[in-house]
């Protein structure tokens, strides 16, 4: 199928091959009607043992930029979800992605909610192909359309036809964020032209859909639903949001929102007001996009529980799952499940806390004295640490006390700067001498979050 002579490719490899013009692929000179007519094949330059120059060229062509860190090695094969169903779904997609990266054929469609790992898997495919010496082009749908619009400008350095043809004919195209584009007639037309060409030419394509396939435009949905060419994997099932709500014992926390948080207490020195403002900003940013861990330290009444509850209330308003537990009561409730009269099992309670998409552990460190308590908390912390599940922790311990008084296997994870942001709220108890006289009900009478 090669249409070039040995003389054309002899000599040292150059960054831009004279045959493929740097694209890494060519159209074989075949008459119309032949089985491979219209297909593109890797240029002979891609079949050379890839050296650093070649790798740099492929990376430049790929448009991956910062996504070069998204590899299969940096993924958990079962994903970050603690739910067994979602773990199975992710693992199937993971195995399919690895097989596709080894031998790209047809279309691979990745769907699922935000932060389920779709883009990471898609970028990992492109990075794996590049590492093997083959070209791959990664681009998001909104970016593609923006570049095409910009190419119409008389001052644009980007040629519209050349760029669009590059995307249409890419040996492997990874199209991210399908569904995020504005649905103008022009945008629909460009996407249809791109997908129709790649569909008819059966060019290997990875598509990341950020909305359910059934909500896409009719013509695009028809292409993505073709079972002969397309293989669709949903990475995560919908969360049962009804499982995540404030229990009756959390009436006070239900009122703790960002709007009701007094972050500008006029009676505080400037330094303490600034500290409280920074704590508010950290919590609010975390609520908008929960990722990694946030550890609030401070004395009783400084506002750390209010901010943690405000994060949960924010997520509930956004119809997103979150779970708030008071650590001493959680441990008491775990103990109570061993009773023959308990209506829920130990496993149900423990798994719900361990695998919650967003978990708040309030008053951490207050009940870690017994070996049993330390073991249960370690299991929760270690699981969420390894799965990188979003977690907020409040504690009356200072950073030094965390390191000194909490077991090393737990404290090392709480202060690991790669995943955790410890923040000390250095303001006094805003309630002064006033103390809540409300007594906690026995944990065995609690339902709410547990049942």
């Amino acid at each position: 199928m090669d249409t070039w002579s040995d003389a054309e490719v002899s000599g040292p490899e150059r960054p831009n091959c004279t045959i493929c013009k740097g694209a890494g692929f060519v159209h074989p000179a075949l008459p119309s009607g032949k089985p491979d007519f219209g297909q593109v094949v890797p240029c002979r330059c891609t079949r050379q043992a890839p050296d650093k120059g070649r790798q740099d060229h492929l990376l430049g062509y790929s448009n991956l930029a910062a996504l070069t860190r998204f590899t299969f090695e940096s993924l958990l094969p079962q994903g970050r979800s603690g739910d067994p169903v979602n773990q199975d779904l992710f693992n199937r997609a993971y195995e399919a992605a690895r097989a596709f990266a080894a031998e790209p054929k047809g279309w691979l469609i990745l769907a699922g909610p935000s932060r389920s790992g779709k883009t990471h898997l898609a970028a990992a495919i492109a990075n794996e192909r590049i590492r093997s010496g083959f070209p791959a082009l990664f681009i998001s749908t909104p970016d593609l359309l923006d570049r095409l619009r910009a190419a119409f400008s008389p001052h644009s350095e980007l040629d519209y036809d050349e760029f669009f043809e590059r995307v249409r004919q890419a040996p492997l195209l990874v199209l991210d964020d399908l569904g995020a584009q504005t649905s103008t007639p022009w945008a629909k037309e460009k996407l249809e032209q791109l997908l129709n060409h790649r569909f008819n030419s059966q060019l290997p394509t990875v598509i990341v859909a950020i909305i359910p396939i059934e909500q896409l435009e009719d013509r695009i949905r028809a292409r993505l639903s073709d079972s002969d060419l397309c293989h669709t994997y949903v990475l995560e099932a919908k969360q049962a949001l009804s499982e995540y709500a404030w229990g009756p014992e959390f009436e006070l926390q239900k009122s703790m929102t960002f709007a009701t948080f007094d972050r500008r207490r006029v009676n505080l020195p400037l330094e303490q007001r600034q500290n409280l403002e920074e704590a508010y900003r950290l919590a609010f940013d975390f609520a908008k996009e929960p990722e990694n861990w946030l550890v609030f330290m401070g004395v009783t009444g400084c506002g750390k529980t209010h901010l943690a509850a405000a994060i949960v209330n924010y997520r509930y308003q956004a119809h997103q799952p979150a779970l708030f537990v008071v650590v001493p009561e959680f441990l008491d409730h775990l103990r109570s499940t061993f009773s023959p009269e308990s209506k829920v099992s130990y496993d149900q309670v423990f798994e719900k806390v361990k695998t919650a998409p967003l978990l708040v552990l309030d008053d951490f460190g207050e009940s870690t004295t017994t070996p049993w308590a330390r073991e249960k908390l370690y299991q929760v912390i270690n699981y969420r640490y390894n799965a990188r599940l979003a977690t907020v922790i409040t504690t009356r311990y200072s950073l030094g006390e965390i390191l000194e008084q909490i077991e090393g296997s737990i404290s090392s994870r709480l202060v690991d700067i790669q995943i955790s942001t410890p923040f000390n709220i250095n303001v006094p108890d805003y309630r002064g001498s006033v103390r809540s006289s409300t007594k906690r009900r026995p944990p065995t009478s609690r339902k709410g979050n547990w049942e």
Side-chain angles (χ1 to χ4, degrees), residues 72-223:
F72 288 115
E73 289 76 16
S74 60
L75 270 173
L76 293 171
Q78 74 275 17
R80 293 185 177 183
S81 173
D83 183 84
V85 173
N86 288 333
Q87 287 182 344
D88 182 60
L89 289 172
F90 188 92
N91 185 252
R92 293 183 186 183
Y94 176 87
E95 295 298 335
R98 296 217 71 150
F100 191 94
E103 189 175 1
K105 286 184 178 180
W107 287 17
L108 181 67
I109 317 298
L110 301 174
S114 175
R115 306 190 67 77
S116 59
K118 305 182 300 295
T119 296
H120 193 141
L121 270 181
I125 293 172
N127 281 311
E128 185 68 19
R129 293 301 293 170
I130 291 168
R131 187 162 63 180
S132 300
F134 295 94
L137 177 61
F138 183 103
I139 193 166
S140 73
T141 306
D143 188 30
L144 166 67
L145 296 173
D146 285 346
R147 292 194 189 189
L148 288 175
R149 291 187 189 96
F152 286 118
S153 169
H155 305 293
S156 173
E157 298 179 0
L158 183 69
D159 182 80
Y160 174 90
D161 292 330
E162 181 180 338
F163 175 70
F164 194 43
E165 192 66 12
R166 174 188 173 192
V167 178
R168 279 176 18 121
Q169 301 288 16
L172 170 61
L173 175 66
V174 178
L175 187 63
D176 194 27
D177 288 343
L178 181 65
Q181 71 280 355
T182 53
S183 295
T184 64
W186 180 86
K188 293 178 185 177
E189 179 187 356
K190 295 300 109 180
L191 277 178
E192 288 176 12
Q193 288 177 0
L194 170 63
L195 296 176
N196 283 343
H197 174 81
R198 297 191 67 84
F199 182 90
N200 292 331
S201 300
Q202 298 188 5
L203 294 173
T205 306
V206 178
I207 293 177
V208 175
I210 67 166
I211 62 175
I213 304 299
E214 57 269 19
Q215 294 181 18
L216 292 168
E217 301 291 337
D218 290 344
R219 293 184 181 179
I220 295 177
R221 184 175 69 248
R223 293 300 189 215

Side-chain angles (χ1 to χ4, degrees), residues 3 149 347:
T3 61
R149 291 187 189 96
D347 290 337

Side-chain angles (χ1 to χ4, degrees), residues 337-382:
T337 60
F338 292 110
S339 168
E341 299 176 357
S342 176
K343 295 181 180 179
V344 294
S345 71
Y346 168 88
D347 290 337
Q348 284 177 302
V349 173
F350 193 61
E351 285 300 310
K352 183 174 182 179
V353 172
K354 191 174 75 170
T355 63
L358 168 60
L359 175 67
V360 171
L361 291 172
D362 193 35
D363 276 351
F364 191 89
E366 304 304 309
S367 299
T368 60
T369 54
T370 69
W372 182 87
R374 288 197 298 270
E375 178 190 356
K376 296 301 109 182
L377 287 173
Y378 170 75
Q379 289 174 0
V380 170
I381 291 294
N382 188 55

